[in-house]
Amino acid sequence: MSEHAIPYKIYLSEDEMPKAWYNLKADMINKPAPLLYPETQQPVTLEQLSQIFCRELAQQELNDTDAYIPIPQEIADFYKMYRPAPLVRAYCLEKKLQTPAKIYYKFEGNNTSGSHKLNSAIAQAYYAKQQGLKGVTTETGAGQWGTALSMACSYFDLDCKVYMVKVSYEQKPFRREVMRTYGASVTPSPSMDTEVGRMILAEHPGTGGSLGCAISEAVEKATTTEGYRYVLGSVLNQVLLHQSVIGLETKAAMDKYGIKPDIIIGCAGGGSNLGGLIAPFMGEKLRGEQDYRFIAVEPASCPTLTRGVYAYDYCDTGRVCPLSKMYTLGSGFMPAANHAGGLRYHGMNSVLSQLYADGLMEARSVVQTEVFEAAEQFARVEGILPAPESSHAIKVAIDEAMKCKETGKEKTILFGLTGTGYFDLYAYEKFHDGKMTDYIPSDEEIAKSVSTLPEIR
Amino acid sequence: MSEHAIPYKIYLSEDEMPKAWYNLKADMINKPAPLLYPETQQPVTLEQLSQIFCRELAQQELNDTDAYIPIPQEIADFYKMYRPAPLVRAYCLEKKLQTPAKIYYKFEGNNTSGSHKLNSAIAQAYYAKQQGLKGVTTETGAGQWGTALSMACSYFDLDCKVYMVKVSYEQKPFRREVMRTYGASVTPSPSMDTEVGRMILAEHPGTGGSLGCAISEAVEKATTTEGYRYVLGSVLNQVLLHQSVIGLETKAAMDKYGIKPDIIIGCAGGGSNLGGLIAPFMGEKLRGEQDYRFIAVEPASCPTLTRGVYAYDYCDTGRVCPLSKMYTLGSGFMPAANHAGGLRYHGMNSVLSQLYADGLMEARSVVQTEVFEAAEQFARVEGILPAPESSHAIKVAIDEAMKCKETGKEKTILFGLTGTGYFDLYAYEKFHDGKMTDYIPSDEEIAKSVSTLPEIR
């Protein structure tokens, strides 16, 4: 390799950074079905939603008409601390694979939270501050979201209460320490702090907790404490809106160099990164301006899009949040305990679900050992140790690049590298030691879980 | 904050990146004293040095005439994967401190090794490959250097044998896993792998090892295995040469915006980062073109410059490497076990030692709890969780900024942020739990250690 017309990394300048988020919903002809209020099963009102979320965020959640929402100056300033994120040309990976494909990735890991989650955390903290709140509550499993939120709250001097799944709290002390560095209070869940926590502890004294339980504790704390609201790091449309900064920057960087991706790939758990990355490209597709292939990649152990059903379901195990029409495996679905990364959510953001239902996006599921093989291959040539979540996208990007090698086609592949794996090294250790296994739920297991879906009149 | 003339982060474009390293020695009037061959105590020859190090690196080590050494294209290509490193304007820290000072930092942590060490690792791996070697050996304590070297070796498909201080091997499994991801073999030291390791194990069966012992094992392995050489991550002039890329990029970025630093601050262990950061600025000072204040910051627990002596000493506890004239606490000096970060080396690079002896640079020592206070303050406003090593520089940068607040002077402060603290969270935990203590060696302790210096005829 010597001189390249396209640099290894494309950084936008500060004045090229997006000034507004892009609200993909505004350009959708088939809008996603509305959220339903759990008690009435009627479309949720702004008033109802504002009991759980900050008012401005509730408004963003329901807004499906404004295509652009200006990014407030304070948030734009914070973005400048760790953005623009580089768009990287994977020259070294291409060379290693000997593929004619051109591979690009948008790298969101260059911040202490280690992932794209910070893009929405700072927005949610900002609106909480604007509303005069004292603090916010949330849950965290792997800890990426909790870390991001603690950073954001520290910046705006907001209190941050994180309920961390107990088993993660104990097994991932490092994430916990990062959150403490940023002044967050981190409580292992279930805790004696809430009604629901005490109930669960009484029933299952030795439990290691679950994400569903942690969500229920966080929501209870927010709704029973003066001056607090609950915030969420994925699944919601407000989160997709904030994450559109990923796609907007990517598109601006590509446009600057006249690059058109043929295939756009993102890992998909609740959908925040995928939705953010594809937003402006999907907008062009919806408006008939340009065609792209989109591939959502999910773990075979939690195959929401590829094996779930498209129906109304609860977003949380505690069933206190609004119902959302989405691809789901049932809110009681328990992904295999052996799964190392995130992406364990039973449902999928409603915008992405609608796009998938309309055939505008593909989905693929991949098994975990193959994901870690791809991760290691990538790390060795591109110098970034990827998060297990992000590595799902790497796996499919490599697969597509190898197809190009077979066919000789020079396709341009773009994928989202959502973060780094520095806090996931137990999983890498398992992989190196040959102790990592794959799990694919049976049809019966999924059918059973899906049978618990609520009946919507 | 709204619009700023100077962006938050200054990134050079690829064609603005340095094409050559800068060899500060060439511009020094008082050159550092030559390395001495341990057996003869005569200046070491290229032949002698080439037994331990790659020939090209040995040449760079001895070169004190060429001011610029071109960066080979392969290394420049690798640099493009994670460089240019951003020069960051610490607007948020300035605001928090309410100081009239303008604070900049060069951030070297945006790569998987998490520090600036990669800048020299890739160069050393490249020259080893060029020489047709099979592999290299090294030691690592905290693990930053071992990680960087494993990444570099993986890129050039070289074998990498890392002797990791046993206690770190056990307490820092994550660093070990990163090295394994990059295909390095990581051996806890002392090991049964080498003569010296077996000897130490026979004498002290339960020992947790030491850096000195790991160096001795790595050197023995390199000098007794066909096709291997030993490589080192700091202290040597060749390392300073490669690290000059830090200072060259910083200066180019500052020149682009017409910024002149008044004070330049770096943490100092063996001197690799400090020497690299200050090189081109010190060059201007030596040539009488511009004046700057330089401050080396070292831990109070290992106060090489501030309390050591300037004399010939062994670079390694095993006394197999050449002798160097430097500020030293004695090669047998044992820094307090409670010290959390690196910067525990008993000596200091010979170029920096000479500059300090000539009054061209200041030095300051700081205690560890104050360093972590500064680290946490920085993390909360600047969004980067700094490495304990780098935080020494942060501490003094904040001190200087607070002096500006008192005096009302608008000084421009530049410091080196060498890396991230993602693998140092046990230390942060200790700090949060109030279990971190400070240690300052007594005068007697230092006098005793210094009394073991070799007599040079």
PDB file of all heavy atoms in Angstrom, chain A residues 1 8-9 14 77 83 112 177 180-181 379-380 385 432-433, chain B residues 1 8-9 14 77 83 112 177 180-181 380 385 432-433:
ATOM      1  N   MET A   1       0.832  -1.207   0.000  1.00  0.00           N
ATOM      2  CA  MET A   1       0.000   0.000   0.000  1.00  0.00           C
ATOM      3  C   MET A   1       0.866   1.256   0.000  1.00  0.00           C
ATOM      4  O   MET A   1       1.810   1.340   0.739  1.00  0.00           O
ATOM      5  CB  MET A   1      -0.839   0.032   1.282  1.00  0.00           C
ATOM      6  CG  MET A   1      -2.057  -0.829   1.214  1.00  0.00           C
ATOM      7  SD  MET A   1      -2.790  -0.924   2.864  1.00  0.00           S
ATOM      8  CE  MET A   1      -1.522  -1.840   3.722  1.00  0.00           C
ATOM      9  N   TYR A   8      -7.164   7.014   4.820  1.00  0.00           N
ATOM     10  CA  TYR A   8      -7.517   5.924   5.728  1.00  0.00           C
ATOM     11  C   TYR A   8      -8.703   6.331   6.598  1.00  0.00           C
ATOM     12  O   TYR A   8      -9.587   5.550   6.873  1.00  0.00           O
ATOM     13  CB  TYR A   8      -6.322   5.590   6.636  1.00  0.00           C
ATOM     14  CG  TYR A   8      -5.282   4.697   6.018  1.00  0.00           C
ATOM     15  CD1 TYR A   8      -4.600   5.074   4.856  1.00  0.00           C
ATOM     16  CD2 TYR A   8      -4.956   3.468   6.591  1.00  0.00           C
ATOM     17  CE1 TYR A   8      -3.638   4.260   4.293  1.00  0.00           C
ATOM     18  CE2 TYR A   8      -3.984   2.645   6.035  1.00  0.00           C
ATOM     19  CZ  TYR A   8      -3.333   3.037   4.896  1.00  0.00           C
ATOM     20  OH  TYR A   8      -2.376   2.228   4.345  1.00  0.00           O
ATOM     21  N   LYS A   9      -8.658   7.567   7.066  1.00  0.00           N
ATOM     22  CA  LYS A   9      -9.735   8.023   7.940  1.00  0.00           C
ATOM     23  C   LYS A   9     -10.250   9.357   7.417  1.00  0.00           C
ATOM     24  O   LYS A   9      -9.465  10.264   7.141  1.00  0.00           O
ATOM     25  CB  LYS A   9      -9.224   8.224   9.373  1.00  0.00           C
ATOM     26  CG  LYS A   9      -8.748   6.929  10.017  1.00  0.00           C
ATOM     27  CD  LYS A   9      -8.585   7.033  11.508  1.00  0.00           C
ATOM     28  CE  LYS A   9      -7.286   7.567  12.038  1.00  0.00           C
ATOM     29  NZ  LYS A   9      -6.250   8.075  11.243  1.00  0.00           N
ATOM     30  N   GLU A  14     -15.298  20.701  12.049  1.00  0.00           N
ATOM     31  CA  GLU A  14     -16.405  21.039  12.955  1.00  0.00           C
ATOM     32  C   GLU A  14     -17.582  21.680  12.231  1.00  0.00           C
ATOM     33  O   GLU A  14     -18.731  21.407  12.548  1.00  0.00           O
ATOM     34  CB  GLU A  14     -15.915  21.984  14.068  1.00  0.00           C
ATOM     35  CG  GLU A  14     -15.273  21.222  15.190  1.00  0.00           C
ATOM     36  CD  GLU A  14     -14.817  22.114  16.338  1.00  0.00           C
ATOM     37  OE1 GLU A  14     -15.211  23.286  16.397  1.00  0.00           O
ATOM     38  OE2 GLU A  14     -14.042  21.605  17.166  1.00  0.00           O
ATOM     39  N   ASP A  77     -21.939  21.246  21.255  1.00  0.00           N
ATOM     40  CA  ASP A  77     -20.631  21.479  21.895  1.00  0.00           C
ATOM     41  C   ASP A  77     -20.074  20.197  22.501  1.00  0.00           C
ATOM     42  O   ASP A  77     -18.885  19.902  22.379  1.00  0.00           O
ATOM     43  CB  ASP A  77     -20.754  22.547  22.996  1.00  0.00           C
ATOM     44  CG  ASP A  77     -20.784  23.961  22.420  1.00  0.00           C
ATOM     45  OD1 ASP A  77     -20.348  24.142  21.267  1.00  0.00           O
ATOM     46  OD2 ASP A  77     -21.248  24.872  23.125  1.00  0.00           O
ATOM     47  N   ARG A  83     -16.662  13.849  18.798  1.00  0.00           N
ATOM     48  CA  ARG A  83     -17.039  13.730  17.397  1.00  0.00           C
ATOM     49  C   ARG A  83     -16.302  14.806  16.610  1.00  0.00           C
ATOM     50  O   ARG A  83     -15.808  15.745  17.218  1.00  0.00           O
ATOM     51  CB  ARG A  83     -18.561  13.906  17.222  1.00  0.00           C
ATOM     52  CG  ARG A  83     -19.402  13.018  18.122  1.00  0.00           C
ATOM     53  CD  ARG A  83     -20.830  12.919  17.622  1.00  0.00           C
ATOM     54  NE  ARG A  83     -20.881  12.198  16.362  1.00  0.00           N
ATOM     55  CZ  ARG A  83     -20.883  10.873  16.262  1.00  0.00           C
ATOM     56  NH1 ARG A  83     -20.887  10.124  17.325  1.00  0.00           N
ATOM     57  NH2 ARG A  83     -20.880  10.301  15.082  1.00  0.00           N
ATOM     58  N   THR A 112     -14.843   7.604  26.089  1.00  0.00           N
ATOM     59  CA  THR A 112     -14.643   6.740  27.254  1.00  0.00           C
ATOM     60  C   THR A 112     -15.772   5.751  27.481  1.00  0.00           C
ATOM     61  O   THR A 112     -15.547   4.658  27.983  1.00  0.00           O
ATOM     62  CB  THR A 112     -14.351   7.609  28.497  1.00  0.00           C
ATOM     63  OG1 THR A 112     -13.002   8.063  28.402  1.00  0.00           O
ATOM     64  CG2 THR A 112     -14.519   6.827  29.794  1.00  0.00           C
ATOM     65  N   GLU A 177     -16.699   0.982  37.924  1.00  0.00           N
ATOM     66  CA  GLU A 177     -15.764   2.015  38.375  1.00  0.00           C
ATOM     67  C   GLU A 177     -15.772   3.226  37.440  1.00  0.00           C
ATOM     68  O   GLU A 177     -15.595   4.347  37.877  1.00  0.00           O
ATOM     69  CB  GLU A 177     -14.347   1.464  38.509  1.00  0.00           C
ATOM     70  CG  GLU A 177     -14.142   0.585  39.725  1.00  0.00           C
ATOM     71  CD  GLU A 177     -14.685   1.180  41.019  1.00  0.00           C
ATOM     72  OE1 GLU A 177     -14.460   2.372  41.293  1.00  0.00           O
ATOM     73  OE2 GLU A 177     -15.368   0.447  41.753  1.00  0.00           O
ATOM     74  N   ARG A 180     -18.683   5.181  38.477  1.00  0.00           N
ATOM     75  CA  ARG A 180     -18.404   5.882  39.735  1.00  0.00           C
ATOM     76  C   ARG A 180     -17.477   7.075  39.505  1.00  0.00           C
ATOM     77  O   ARG A 180     -17.629   8.116  40.159  1.00  0.00           O
ATOM     78  CB  ARG A 180     -17.767   4.922  40.744  1.00  0.00           C
ATOM     79  CG  ARG A 180     -18.767   3.943  41.335  1.00  0.00           C
ATOM     80  CD  ARG A 180     -18.072   2.975  42.282  1.00  0.00           C
ATOM     81  NE  ARG A 180     -17.753   3.550  43.569  1.00  0.00           N
ATOM     82  CZ  ARG A 180     -16.909   2.993  44.455  1.00  0.00           C
ATOM     83  NH1 ARG A 180     -16.292   1.865  44.162  1.00  0.00           N
ATOM     84  NH2 ARG A 180     -16.690   3.560  45.614  1.00  0.00           N
ATOM     85  N   THR A 181     -16.531   6.923  38.601  1.00  0.00           N
ATOM     86  CA  THR A 181     -15.642   8.043  38.278  1.00  0.00           C
ATOM     87  C   THR A 181     -16.458   9.246  37.829  1.00  0.00           C
ATOM     88  O   THR A 181     -16.123  10.384  38.134  1.00  0.00           O
ATOM     89  CB  THR A 181     -14.651   7.638  37.165  1.00  0.00           C
ATOM     90  OG1 THR A 181     -13.879   6.539  37.637  1.00  0.00           O
ATOM     91  CG2 THR A 181     -13.724   8.787  36.787  1.00  0.00           C
ATOM     92  N   ALA A 379      -9.367  -7.209  14.381  1.00  0.00           N
ATOM     93  CA  ALA A 379      -8.456  -6.565  15.337  1.00  0.00           C
ATOM     94  C   ALA A 379      -7.018  -6.649  14.843  1.00  0.00           C
ATOM     95  O   ALA A 379      -6.247  -5.685  14.942  1.00  0.00           O
ATOM     96  CB  ALA A 379      -8.583  -7.216  16.712  1.00  0.00           C
ATOM     97  N   ARG A 380      -6.648  -7.786  14.311  1.00  0.00           N
ATOM     98  CA  ARG A 380      -5.254  -7.981  13.906  1.00  0.00           C
ATOM     99  C   ARG A 380      -4.835  -7.113  12.735  1.00  0.00           C
ATOM    100  O   ARG A 380      -3.687  -6.718  12.646  1.00  0.00           O
ATOM    101  CB  ARG A 380      -5.008  -9.454  13.573  1.00  0.00           C
ATOM    102  CG  ARG A 380      -5.032 -10.303  14.821  1.00  0.00           C
ATOM    103  CD  ARG A 380      -4.541 -11.699  14.555  1.00  0.00           C
ATOM    104  NE  ARG A 380      -4.618 -12.482  15.795  1.00  0.00           N
ATOM    105  CZ  ARG A 380      -4.157 -13.712  15.927  1.00  0.00           C
ATOM    106  NH1 ARG A 380      -3.588 -14.308  14.896  1.00  0.00           N
ATOM    107  NH2 ARG A 380      -4.258 -14.329  17.075  1.00  0.00           N
ATOM    108  N   LEU A 385      -9.711  -3.318  18.684  1.00  0.00           N
ATOM    109  CA  LEU A 385     -10.337  -4.489  19.305  1.00  0.00           C
ATOM    110  C   LEU A 385     -11.828  -4.189  19.420  1.00  0.00           C
ATOM    111  O   LEU A 385     -12.238  -3.360  20.228  1.00  0.00           O
ATOM    112  CB  LEU A 385      -9.734  -4.712  20.695  1.00  0.00           C
ATOM    113  CG  LEU A 385     -10.168  -6.006  21.358  1.00  0.00           C
ATOM    114  CD1 LEU A 385      -9.192  -7.124  21.004  1.00  0.00           C
ATOM    115  CD2 LEU A 385     -10.234  -5.840  22.865  1.00  0.00           C
ATOM    116  N   HIS A 432     -10.615 -17.497  23.278  1.00  0.00           N
ATOM    117  CA  HIS A 432      -9.241 -17.993  23.107  1.00  0.00           C
ATOM    118  C   HIS A 432      -9.047 -19.360  23.744  1.00  0.00           C
ATOM    119  O   HIS A 432      -8.265 -20.174  23.270  1.00  0.00           O
ATOM    120  CB  HIS A 432      -8.231 -17.015  23.734  1.00  0.00           C
ATOM    121  CG  HIS A 432      -8.169 -15.706  23.041  1.00  0.00           C
ATOM    122  ND1 HIS A 432      -8.002 -14.519  23.706  1.00  0.00           N
ATOM    123  CD2 HIS A 432      -8.285 -15.380  21.734  1.00  0.00           C
ATOM    124  CE1 HIS A 432      -8.005 -13.533  22.830  1.00  0.00           C
ATOM    125  NE2 HIS A 432      -8.188 -14.029  21.636  1.00  0.00           N
ATOM    126  N   ASP A 433      -9.751 -19.560  24.852  1.00  0.00           N
ATOM    127  CA  ASP A 433      -9.589 -20.824  25.563  1.00  0.00           C
ATOM    128  C   ASP A 433     -10.486 -21.933  25.010  1.00  0.00           C
ATOM    129  O   ASP A 433     -10.531 -23.025  25.567  1.00  0.00           O
ATOM    130  CB  ASP A 433      -9.877 -20.619  27.069  1.00  0.00           C
ATOM    131  CG  ASP A 433      -8.813 -19.753  27.735  1.00  0.00           C
ATOM    132  OD1 ASP A 433      -7.718 -19.607  27.147  1.00  0.00           O
ATOM    133  OD2 ASP A 433      -9.066 -19.228  28.845  1.00  0.00           O
TER     134      ASP A 433
ATOM    135  N   MET B   1     -20.574  28.123  26.086  1.00  0.00           N
ATOM    136  CA  MET B   1     -19.668  28.052  24.936  1.00  0.00           C
ATOM    137  C   MET B   1     -20.456  28.008  23.637  1.00  0.00           C
ATOM    138  O   MET B   1     -21.426  27.293  23.528  1.00  0.00           O
ATOM    139  CB  MET B   1     -18.862  26.758  25.007  1.00  0.00           C
ATOM    140  CG  MET B   1     -17.706  26.814  25.954  1.00  0.00           C
ATOM    141  SD  MET B   1     -17.020  25.168  26.153  1.00  0.00           S
ATOM    142  CE  MET B   1     -18.375  24.388  27.040  1.00  0.00           C
ATOM    143  N   TYR B   8     -12.347  22.328  18.778  1.00  0.00           N
ATOM    144  CA  TYR B   8     -12.118  21.476  19.951  1.00  0.00           C
ATOM    145  C   TYR B   8     -10.964  20.516  19.676  1.00  0.00           C
ATOM    146  O   TYR B   8     -10.152  20.258  20.543  1.00  0.00           O
ATOM    147  CB  TYR B   8     -13.378  20.663  20.278  1.00  0.00           C
ATOM    148  CG  TYR B   8     -14.424  21.416  21.054  1.00  0.00           C
ATOM    149  CD1 TYR B   8     -15.003  22.566  20.548  1.00  0.00           C
ATOM    150  CD2 TYR B   8     -14.833  20.974  22.303  1.00  0.00           C
ATOM    151  CE1 TYR B   8     -15.964  23.254  21.266  1.00  0.00           C
ATOM    152  CE2 TYR B   8     -15.804  21.647  23.028  1.00  0.00           C
ATOM    153  CZ  TYR B   8     -16.368  22.787  22.501  1.00  0.00           C
ATOM    154  OH  TYR B   8     -17.319  23.467  23.219  1.00  0.00           O
ATOM    155  N   LYS B   9     -10.982  19.962  18.475  1.00  0.00           N
ATOM    156  CA  LYS B   9      -9.933  19.003  18.143  1.00  0.00           C
ATOM    157  C   LYS B   9      -9.318  19.392  16.808  1.00  0.00           C
ATOM    158  O   LYS B   9     -10.039  19.648  15.847  1.00  0.00           O
ATOM    159  CB  LYS B   9     -10.505  17.591  18.015  1.00  0.00           C
ATOM    160  CG  LYS B   9     -11.068  17.071  19.330  1.00  0.00           C
ATOM    161  CD  LYS B   9     -11.321  15.597  19.312  1.00  0.00           C
ATOM    162  CE  LYS B   9     -12.583  15.091  18.674  1.00  0.00           C
ATOM    163  NZ  LYS B   9     -13.620  15.899  18.185  1.00  0.00           N
ATOM    164  N   GLU B  14      -3.906  13.675   6.153  1.00  0.00           N
ATOM    165  CA  GLU B  14      -2.838  12.682   5.944  1.00  0.00           C
ATOM    166  C   GLU B  14      -1.580  13.295   5.340  1.00  0.00           C
ATOM    167  O   GLU B  14      -0.468  12.932   5.697  1.00  0.00           O
ATOM    168  CB  GLU B  14      -3.335  11.537   5.055  1.00  0.00           C
ATOM    169  CG  GLU B  14      -4.088  10.510   5.863  1.00  0.00           C
ATOM    170  CD  GLU B  14      -4.563   9.329   5.038  1.00  0.00           C
ATOM    171  OE1 GLU B  14      -4.097   9.141   3.897  1.00  0.00           O
ATOM    172  OE2 GLU B  14      -5.408   8.577   5.555  1.00  0.00           O
ATOM    173  N   ASP B  77       2.151   4.082   6.666  1.00  0.00           N
ATOM    174  CA  ASP B  77       0.830   3.507   6.393  1.00  0.00           C
ATOM    175  C   ASP B  77       0.164   3.030   7.680  1.00  0.00           C
ATOM    176  O   ASP B  77      -1.029   3.243   7.893  1.00  0.00           O
ATOM    177  CB  ASP B  77       0.946   2.333   5.415  1.00  0.00           C
ATOM    178  CG  ASP B  77       1.103   2.800   3.975  1.00  0.00           C
ATOM    179  OD1 ASP B  77       0.778   3.964   3.686  1.00  0.00           O
ATOM    180  OD2 ASP B  77       1.552   1.994   3.132  1.00  0.00           O
ATOM    181  N   ARG B  83      -3.375   7.377  13.516  1.00  0.00           N
ATOM    182  CA  ARG B  83      -2.922   8.745  13.570  1.00  0.00           C
ATOM    183  C   ARG B  83      -3.544   9.497  12.398  1.00  0.00           C
ATOM    184  O   ARG B  83      -4.013   8.852  11.470  1.00  0.00           O
ATOM    185  CB  ARG B  83      -1.375   8.825  13.471  1.00  0.00           C
ATOM    186  CG  ARG B  83      -0.637   7.938  14.470  1.00  0.00           C
ATOM    187  CD  ARG B  83       0.803   8.349  14.610  1.00  0.00           C
ATOM    188  NE  ARG B  83       0.884   9.656  15.246  1.00  0.00           N
ATOM    189  CZ  ARG B  83       0.823   9.865  16.567  1.00  0.00           C
ATOM    190  NH1 ARG B  83       0.736   8.846  17.377  1.00  0.00           N
ATOM    191  NH2 ARG B  83       0.855  11.078  17.054  1.00  0.00           N
ATOM    192  N   THR B 112      -5.987   0.645  20.123  1.00  0.00           N
ATOM    193  CA  THR B 112      -6.315  -0.441  21.051  1.00  0.00           C
ATOM    194  C   THR B 112      -5.263  -0.656  22.129  1.00  0.00           C
ATOM    195  O   THR B 112      -5.578  -1.065  23.239  1.00  0.00           O
ATOM    196  CB  THR B 112      -6.628  -1.735  20.268  1.00  0.00           C
ATOM    197  OG1 THR B 112      -7.940  -1.600  19.709  1.00  0.00           O
ATOM    198  CG2 THR B 112      -6.605  -2.970  21.150  1.00  0.00           C
ATOM    199  N   GLU B 177      -5.261 -10.793  27.627  1.00  0.00           N
ATOM    200  CA  GLU B 177      -6.154 -11.255  26.561  1.00  0.00           C
ATOM    201  C   GLU B 177      -6.027 -10.403  25.306  1.00  0.00           C
ATOM    202  O   GLU B 177      -6.168 -10.904  24.208  1.00  0.00           O
ATOM    203  CB  GLU B 177      -7.611 -11.279  27.039  1.00  0.00           C
ATOM    204  CG  GLU B 177      -7.935 -12.404  27.996  1.00  0.00           C
ATOM    205  CD  GLU B 177      -7.434 -13.762  27.520  1.00  0.00           C
ATOM    206  OE1 GLU B 177      -7.597 -14.098  26.338  1.00  0.00           O
ATOM    207  OE2 GLU B 177      -6.844 -14.486  28.344  1.00  0.00           O
ATOM    208  N   ARG B 180      -3.071 -11.755  23.605  1.00  0.00           N
ATOM    209  CA  ARG B 180      -3.380 -13.044  22.971  1.00  0.00           C
ATOM    210  C   ARG B 180      -4.215 -12.844  21.710  1.00  0.00           C
ATOM    211  O   ARG B 180      -4.053 -13.567  20.728  1.00  0.00           O
ATOM    212  CB  ARG B 180      -4.134 -13.942  23.950  1.00  0.00           C
ATOM    213  CG  ARG B 180      -3.231 -14.514  25.042  1.00  0.00           C
ATOM    214  CD  ARG B 180      -4.042 -15.337  26.028  1.00  0.00           C
ATOM    215  NE  ARG B 180      -4.397 -16.653  25.519  1.00  0.00           N
ATOM    216  CZ  ARG B 180      -5.309 -17.449  26.090  1.00  0.00           C
ATOM    217  NH1 ARG B 180      -5.960 -17.051  27.158  1.00  0.00           N
ATOM    218  NH2 ARG B 180      -5.569 -18.640  25.578  1.00  0.00           N
ATOM    219  N   THR B 181      -5.124 -11.864  21.745  1.00  0.00           N
ATOM    220  CA  THR B 181      -5.926 -11.572  20.547  1.00  0.00           C
ATOM    221  C   THR B 181      -5.009 -11.254  19.374  1.00  0.00           C
ATOM    222  O   THR B 181      -5.288 -11.619  18.237  1.00  0.00           O
ATOM    223  CB  THR B 181      -6.872 -10.380  20.823  1.00  0.00           C
ATOM    224  OG1 THR B 181      -7.719 -10.725  21.906  1.00  0.00           O
ATOM    225  CG2 THR B 181      -7.701 -10.029  19.601  1.00  0.00           C
ATOM    226  N   ARG B 380     -14.308  13.964  34.134  1.00  0.00           N
ATOM    227  CA  ARG B 380     -15.687  14.459  34.211  1.00  0.00           C
ATOM    228  C   ARG B 380     -15.980  15.585  33.242  1.00  0.00           C
ATOM    229  O   ARG B 380     -17.095  15.717  32.764  1.00  0.00           O
ATOM    230  CB  ARG B 380     -15.999  14.913  35.630  1.00  0.00           C
ATOM    231  CG  ARG B 380     -16.108  13.734  36.573  1.00  0.00           C
ATOM    232  CD  ARG B 380     -16.663  14.131  37.910  1.00  0.00           C
ATOM    233  NE  ARG B 380     -16.713  12.962  38.775  1.00  0.00           N
ATOM    234  CZ  ARG B 380     -17.244  12.942  39.984  1.00  0.00           C
ATOM    235  NH1 ARG B 380     -17.778  14.042  40.468  1.00  0.00           N
ATOM    236  NH2 ARG B 380     -17.248  11.845  40.696  1.00  0.00           N
ATOM    237  N   LEU B 385     -11.269   9.113  30.159  1.00  0.00           N
ATOM    238  CA  LEU B 385     -10.760   8.541  31.402  1.00  0.00           C
ATOM    239  C   LEU B 385      -9.257   8.314  31.203  1.00  0.00           C
ATOM    240  O   LEU B 385      -8.860   7.422  30.468  1.00  0.00           O
ATOM    241  CB  LEU B 385     -11.464   7.218  31.689  1.00  0.00           C
ATOM    242  CG  LEU B 385     -11.134   6.610  33.042  1.00  0.00           C
ATOM    243  CD1 LEU B 385     -12.122   7.120  34.090  1.00  0.00           C
ATOM    244  CD2 LEU B 385     -11.179   5.099  32.990  1.00  0.00           C
ATOM    245  N   HIS B 432     -11.482   5.491  44.637  1.00  0.00           N
ATOM    246  CA  HIS B 432     -12.870   5.776  45.034  1.00  0.00           C
ATOM    247  C   HIS B 432     -13.176   5.251  46.427  1.00  0.00           C
ATOM    248  O   HIS B 432     -13.980   5.820  47.150  1.00  0.00           O
ATOM    249  CB  HIS B 432     -13.858   5.140  44.044  1.00  0.00           C
ATOM    250  CG  HIS B 432     -13.783   5.741  42.684  1.00  0.00           C
ATOM    251  ND1 HIS B 432     -13.938   4.999  41.534  1.00  0.00           N
ATOM    252  CD2 HIS B 432     -13.546   7.008  42.280  1.00  0.00           C
ATOM    253  CE1 HIS B 432     -13.811   5.798  40.491  1.00  0.00           C
ATOM    254  NE2 HIS B 432     -13.574   7.015  40.918  1.00  0.00           N
ATOM    255  N   ASP B 433     -12.562   4.119  46.753  1.00  0.00           N
ATOM    256  CA  ASP B 433     -12.842   3.513  48.056  1.00  0.00           C
ATOM    257  C   ASP B 433     -11.976   4.109  49.168  1.00  0.00           C
ATOM    258  O   ASP B 433     -12.016   3.640  50.302  1.00  0.00           O
ATOM    259  CB  ASP B 433     -12.629   1.991  47.973  1.00  0.00           C
ATOM    260  CG  ASP B 433     -13.687   1.321  47.097  1.00  0.00           C
ATOM    261  OD1 ASP B 433     -14.723   1.965  46.832  1.00  0.00           O
ATOM    262  OD2 ASP B 433     -13.474   0.171  46.669  1.00  0.00           O
TER     263      ASP B 433
END
